Amino acid sequence: MTLKKSIQKKMGAAMLVLALAGSLLAGCGSNEASQADPGSANQPLNIKMTLNFDGKEVPQKDNEVEQAMEKYTNTSLDFTHISSNDFCTKLPVMIASGELPQVLASCGAPNQSYLITAAQNGAFWDITDLIKDYKNLASMPQLVYDNVSIEGRLYGIPRFRPVSRYTFVYRQDWLDHLGMQPPQTVDDLYQMLKAFTEQDPDNNGKNDTTGATLMIINNTLSFDFSPAFGAPNNWSETNGKFVKAEETPEYLEYLKFMKRLYDEGLINKDFASIDVGQNEGNLENGKAGVINAATNNVLGFQSRVEKVNPEAKLDFVSALEGPQGKRVSADRGSNGILMFPKASVKSEEELKQLLTFFDKLADQEMADLLEWGIEGKHYEMKDGKAVRLNQELYDDEVSFPYNKPLVTVPLTAIKTPGDLDPISEKVIQVEKENEQYAVKDPTMSLVSDTWAERGAELTQLLIDAKVKFIMGKLDENGWKEQLEKFKQVGGDKVAEEYAAALAKSK
């Protein structure tokens, strides 16, 4: 499959240069490279990495955590951390320039046109046939590898995440003050948001709280829980026919619910324009009582909210009961992939050294470092179990700069057991329970040329229509008109290509 013609039109000269460079770099090195320690002849292997970063401040070079990683893996590490807010914009420019590190994170799933084109033209190493040779990397569920493949080939190591981990994080202390029970259904959620907005949940005598805070991130509503209304996860597939979730009547019911929240002032009016910091700040500062978050972020939110209000208490719920029972979106089981550009990784021997480095990061010593931090600083041992000393310090110095961007395989069974707090215990329970409620996206491992080329444009069309509908600037007829436009300018063609790709895969 080739996207050359479409990329010539869409991406311009920069991507043509990339495609040419990729073709020239497509040759592989020797197949006889040994799988030794990363550094050869006791000399540390120098590794440059560019990663997305969600923390507050990039840690100083040569800190304790970095030094511990370097010592164990016999490497010298050089990190470039780029804020996730900017990373997706900068990544295609970096790739087009050809000036790349040895390890480069993708922006989410590798389904953007420039990544597919770069991979297919040989800009990144194909590691499909090598993974089996690495004990820890080979332990990844095959489904996770399948979900990030491009036409059945793997061009990077997926960063493992639970398959379904999206939650509504809420102020439990507000709920207690109002004498309400945790939400179990979609209607319960509405009632909680209404009470958080109208009934002075923080007991300060002021009308200064909002039910929930949300934003638009990567052209997606952060509060999109449309599967709870019976809608598909992104696309549905029936007898080989694909339909975009937004085209279904169930998705329209979800949008009507969101419009009701907006009209009644139960969500922040500026949801279409705020950034991550402002959105999270609304929860931290007690302006909003609910936020969407992944399970692995709940404990961090608890720590941050406590700094503002020591009496604050958070809890969370994930799969809500809707018209078709409990349903929650399933994800790829990864947070993007770590790729190895051929422009900077010159041989298969060097590639294998890099794979060995990531395999070693899943050994128990490194699993403990990434999951717990430095003993005596981030955790202590009690009765054979690790006990967290300071969640925020761990988040700032270990989790955001190293754990989240570098952990590739599940560490739960590898790391030293911990004496977990109630939130962490519940996270494990909810992630397991969600497997039975998870609604999969049938297009996850399929490729559509049209979506690869114009997916961003089509997604923008839909998100603009959603925002206008929620704000009342577009009525139901107007929404349907935008759906027709979506289908005419590429949506129908995408559906046909997914159908063809599915048939071919079978």
Side-chain angles (χ1 to χ4, degrees), residues 356-371:
T356 298
F357 165 76
F358 284 104
D359 198 60
K360 282 180 170 290
L361 288 187
D363 289 347
Q364 183 176 351
E365 186 169 332
M366 289 294 95
D368 285 345
L369 176 72
L370 293 170
E371 286 287 306

Side-chain angles (χ1 to χ4, degrees), residues 416-431:
T416 296
D419 185 8
L420 300 180
D421 58 276
I423 287 180
S424 296
E425 290 279 8
K426 185 173 179 179
V427 163
I428 295 172
Q429 173 191 342
V430 168
E431 289 174 351

Side-chain angles (χ1 to χ4, degrees), residues 69 73 87 114 135 138 199 239 266 286 318 342 349 365 406 429 455 481-482 506:
M69 278 195 289
T73 61
F87 190 77
Y114 63 89
K135 174 176 66 82
Q199 297 182 26
N239 297 325
L266 310 188
S318 185
K342 289 186 177 179
E349 179 181 6
E365 186 169 332
L406 292 178
Q429 173 191 342
E481 288 174 2
Q482 290 303 302
K506 291 181 177 180

Side-chain angles (χ1 to χ4, degrees), residues 237 361 397:
E237 182 269 320
L361 288 187
E397 297 183 353

